[in-house]
Amino acid sequence: MASFSLPQINDNPEGGWGPSTSNLPAQFKFKDIPYAPYSKSDKLGRFADWNDLSGDNRPTNLGLSAQANARSGAQGRGRRDGQPAFGSGTASAFAYFHAEDESSFSLVDSKAGTARRGGAMTRGRTPARGGSNYARTGGGQRGGRGGFSGGRGGAQRGGRRGWRDWEKTGRTRESSVAITPDWAMLEEIEFHRLAKLRLEVDEPEDLDTYGRVFPYDKVYDRITTRTEKPLQLLDRIKYNPTTSDDPVIQELASKDTATIYTTDVILAVLMCAPRSVYPWDIIVIREGNKLFFDKRDGGPFDTVTVNENAADPPQDPTTTNPNNPNEKVTVPETPSINSATSLSLEATYINQNFMFQTVTETPPPPAVDFSKPNPFYGPDETEPLASCGYRYRVFDLGITEDEDMRLCVRTEVDAYVPGQGNPTDGQGLLTIRALNEFDPRAPGAGGAPDWRTKLDSQRGAVMATEMKNNSCKLAKWTVQSVLAGADLLKIGFISRVNPRDNTRHVILSTTSTRPADFAAQLNVSLANGWGIVRTIADMCMKQPEGKYVLVKDPNKPVLRLYAVPANAFTAEEEDEEAGFEGDDAEA
């Protein structure tokens, strides 16, 4: 008769069911393996599910497959009693989810496949017009002509997100500054964290004013599309130096007037950072207990963007990949006038000339001189100065009354309105900007209507489209006007004479708005902007003395702070100066 011996039994000293966690057998093979109940009909993980409707390879309900979810409304065909399977309602520990961003994915083969007759789950219905059937979209919005893109500019009306993404051109942008290996990344902040900041700031203190402003010509307020005026090319000098090159700011810094020193252009970019799409960078210099925010010469601060926030913004021609010598990209002999770089230069040219043209340089009314002359205009200059006034103001960013955190900013105003008070006291000042139309049918137009036919009758629709496509640019203009204490913001509508010619333009109309009211329309929160500035300043003040660069990621809504060598960006300036001296010697 065979003998039977009992195995070793490990009691649970804690008094619970099952083995104790502190007294596991030595050969326990299920140690450290998570347990989750599951149904036998569920899949235990998959690396790709091409039938998934959620778009990110996730099941629409954790623990259930996509097919099971589709049948959940009928309580399952195989279970007539309606009882769910054991474990079907719990989260599966074995399912695989995509945790990384797949924005860098690109399809190699973009050839259209053979269309199947009918379609999945249509049950005999005819597919909807535009190549997508009704059932797969799961909604009641029909696809218009050409799929789900309806209207001008291809604005999506419904359907799956990412529809036919493989046929779209890549939107990978290059950084605004070359990041070298000797740069050390110190901090990284996402835009969604910046959008939650808030700091209330009181009215600023005026330190001094410089420059001369001319009166605004009210004739341009009465221009319509039928009485358009050509945009003239005027040679005027307007200075916009960086913070460190401003002699007035250097003098104020020597007197310890404030802790942070910057200009209105740089400050507006920081305050509107969550709206920005294109890359930019700001040089931060800490000297002692002071911070200086600077811009690079020839950087993104010297140009005006076009349709930056559009769903399909203008693109530059594709450049060759330096890591792939076999790649050949056909570059056109003549650059496109509707590329992002060409449009940016055109918009900068339009803004400057519109600003010069809309003021009256010959009295009456007379020009108004501020308390001191233009600090950047030298005796050797021969060309006339443009209408521009500089107001140096100080804002208190302290959270408590005892905290000393003051910001000194150089702001600019472009003209004054006659009869609205004394401009030297800050009354009747205004800033002048211009929006430009290039070609409503060109790629990157963002669904903008034709200004010549819609501007007089449907100005609200035109302005709404511009507020959507140029949200960041308009927000920066509004913030600059508020910082300068301007009473009005004049915005001109400039269009090409011929859509194929980017050298001749006409003024179609002009609108006037108060900066505070326009900020409310754009949903621009100045308190949020001041919170962003204070957070960036605190982040930089924690670092030791030196030079830093704040870089906006070209393809992600992220800000990064780098520590750079003290001689960074100075070698480029020396090379440029040497090149200029060599050209003069040859001449």
Side-chain angles (χ1 to χ4, degrees):
M1 185 175 179
S3 61
F4 175 76
S5 59
L6 291 173
Q8 182 181 359
I9 299 175
N10 298 310
D11 293 335
N12 191 341
E14 301 172 358
W17 292 95
S20 174
T21 56
S22 60
N23 191 19
L24 291 176
Q27 302 297 327
F28 188 60
K29 63 180 180 179
F30 299 112
K31 183 180 180 181
D32 296 331
I33 296 180
Y35 170 74
Y38 65 93
S39 174
K40 293 182 179 180
S41 61
D42 287 342
K43 297 179 181 179
L44 295 183
R46 52 196 177 274
F47 61 89
D49 183 8
W50 305 110
N51 295 321
D52 182 32
L53 299 182
S54 61
D56 56 357
N57 289 343
R58 294 191 181 189
T60 53
N61 186 13
L62 293 177
L64 283 175
S65 63
Q67 290 83 357
N69 275 319
R71 297 192 298 264
S72 61
Q75 297 183 355
R77 293 184 179 178
R79 309 181 198 276
R80 298 186 178 181
D81 54 357
Q83 295 295 329
F86 173 74
S88 61
T90 60
S92 175
F94 308 101
Y96 176 77
F97 301 124
H98 288 285
E100 297 180 357
D101 184 20
E102 297 181 352
S103 60
S104 60
F105 173 77
S106 61
L107 191 70
V108 177
D109 187 7
S110 60
K111 294 187 297 184
T114 305
R116 295 187 299 174
R117 297 185 61 185
M121 300 173 63
T122 58
R123 299 196 180 193
R125 294 193 183 99
T126 305
R129 190 175 182 182
S132 298
N133 55 63
Y134 181 90
R136 287 180 65 86
T137 61
Q141 296 184 356
R142 290 182 297 176
R145 295 183 61 180
F148 287 94
S149 60
R152 301 179 63 175
Q156 293 186 353
R157 291 187 179 179
R160 283 203 310 270
R161 183 176 299 173
W163 171 249
R164 302 182 74 88
D165 273 344
W166 60 86
E167 292 184 358
K168 296 180 181 178
T169 56
R171 291 179 175 83
T172 302
R173 301 183 181 90
E174 298 294 334
S175 178
S176 60
V177 60
I179 300 175
T180 58
D182 55 347
W183 291 15
M185 191 181 75
L186 305 176
E187 300 283 349
E188 182 176 290
I189 305 180
E190 295 84 2
F191 279 2
H192 66 85
R193 292 169 55 192
L194 294 178
K196 300 177 182 178
L197 302 174
R198 187 176 181 86
L199 176 64
E200 298 291 343
V201 175
D202 297 333
E203 289 296 320
E205 172 191 354
D206 291 331
L207 297 179
D208 215 340
T209 56
Y210 295 78
R212 169 187 290 184
V213 290
F214 293 106
Y216 174 76
D217 192 352
K218 296 183 179 180
V219 173
Y220 291 90
D221 289 340
R222 298 188 290 269
I223 292 180
T224 63
T225 55
R226 297 182 180 180
T227 60
E228 59 187 31
K229 277 195 173 186
L231 184 68
Q232 301 174 6
L233 176 61
L234 300 174
D235 290 331
R236 299 290 183 272
I237 296 180
K238 183 177 180 181
Y239 296 93
N240 186 21
T242 186
T243 309
S244 299
D245 295 341
D246 190 333
V248 179
I249 289 184
Q250 295 299 326
E251 180 183 355
L252 294 174
S254 62
K255 299 177 182 178
D256 293 335
T257 305
T259 307
I260 309 166
Y261 300 88
T262 183
T263 64
D264 58 345
V265 177
I266 301 173
L267 192 60
V269 170
L270 276 179
M271 297 177 72
C272 303
R275 295 174 181 253
S276 60
V277 177
Y278 290 161
W280 48 266
D281 58 276
I282 296 175
I283 301 174
V284 183
I285 301 175
R286 182 178 179 190
E287 296 180 357
N289 197 30
K290 301 183 183 68
L291 283 179
F292 295 89
F293 290 99
D294 283 320
K295 65 181 180 70
R296 293 184 299 107
D297 290 336
F301 291 92
D302 296 330
T303 56
V304 180
T305 61
V306 177
N307 287 2
E308 177 180 358
N309 301 95
D312 188 14
Q315 300 292 318
D316 282 327
T318 306
T319 57
T320 57
N321 185 1
N323 299 322
N324 186 5
N326 298 324
E327 182 181 5
K328 294 182 180 180
V329 179
T330 57
V331 179
E333 296 180 359
T334 58
S336 173
I337 63 174
N338 295 327
S339 64
T341 303
S342 300
L343 289 173
S344 180
L345 295 176
E346 180 184 357
T348 306
Y349 157 84
I350 289 174
N351 265 273
Q352 292 179 352
N353 286 279
F354 179 73
M355 193 184 309
F356 302 157
Q357 183 176 343
T358 53
V359 296
T360 304
E361 297 183 353
T362 57
V368 175
D369 291 323
F370 284 166
S371 60
K372 295 181 180 179
N374 193 310
F376 314 112
Y377 190 72
D380 299 334
E381 300 289 349
T382 57
E383 296 181 358
L385 267 175
S387 171
C388 185
Y390 302 98
R391 307 182 70 193
Y392 291 83
R393 319 182 84 188
V394 172
F395 292 85
D396 187 4
L397 303 185
I399 300 177
T400 61
E401 296 182 357
D402 300 334
E403 186 179 16
D404 186 16
M405 177 69 76
R406 291 158 60 88
L407 181 141
C408 177
V409 57
R410 184 191 74 218
T411 63
E412 298 180 9
V413 292
D414 300 314
Y416 78 93
V417 181
Q420 298 293 328
N422 188 3
T424 57
D425 296 335
Q427 299 173 355
L429 299 175
L430 57 87
T431 54
I432 303 173
R433 299 292 187 268
L435 294 169
N436 62 300
E437 178 192 38
F438 50 100
D439 188 357
R441 294 169 295 182
D450 186 4
W451 287 5
R452 282 179 170 82
T453 59
K454 303 294 184 182
L455 195 55
D456 289 341
S457 60
Q458 300 180 10
R459 174 168 297 196
V462 173
M463 202 65 195
T465 305
E466 292 301 314
M467 291 168 64
K468 175 176 67 73
N469 293 336
N470 296 286
S471 171
C472 183
K473 178 171 68 174
L474 290 173
K476 289 188 291 187
W477 290 351
T478 307
V479 169
Q480 291 178 32
S481 299
V482 174
L483 293 175
D487 291 341
L488 292 176
L489 170 63
K490 296 283 185 179
I491 300 178
F493 295 89
I494 317 296
S495 180
R496 294 176 181 172
V497 175
N498 187 340
R500 299 182 180 180
D501 184 6
N502 65 342
T503 58
R504 296 184 301 137
H505 302 84
V506 291
I507 305 173
L508 298 180
S509 181
T510 305
T511 186
S512 178
T513 180
R514 295 190 177 276
D517 298 339
F518 198 47
Q521 294 179 20
L522 289 168
N523 198 20
V524 174
S525 173
L526 293 176
N528 174 245
W530 288 121
I532 295 174
V533 174
R534 177 60 196 263
T535 301
I536 299 297
D538 291 343
M539 187 172 63
C540 296
M541 291 298 289
K542 292 190 302 183
Q543 309 299 333
E545 292 189 26
K547 181 181 288 189
Y548 305 90
V549 178
L550 186 68
V551 180
K552 192 270 175 187
D553 189 279
N555 301 301
K556 297 179 181 178
V558 172
L559 286 182
R560 296 188 178 93
L561 181 67
Y562 292 90
V564 299
N567 59 351
F569 309 113
T570 57
E572 300 177 1
E573 298 175 359
E574 293 175 357
D575 293 343
E576 292 179 0
E577 294 177 357
F580 291 145
E581 293 175 357
D583 295 341
D584 295 340
E586 292 177 1

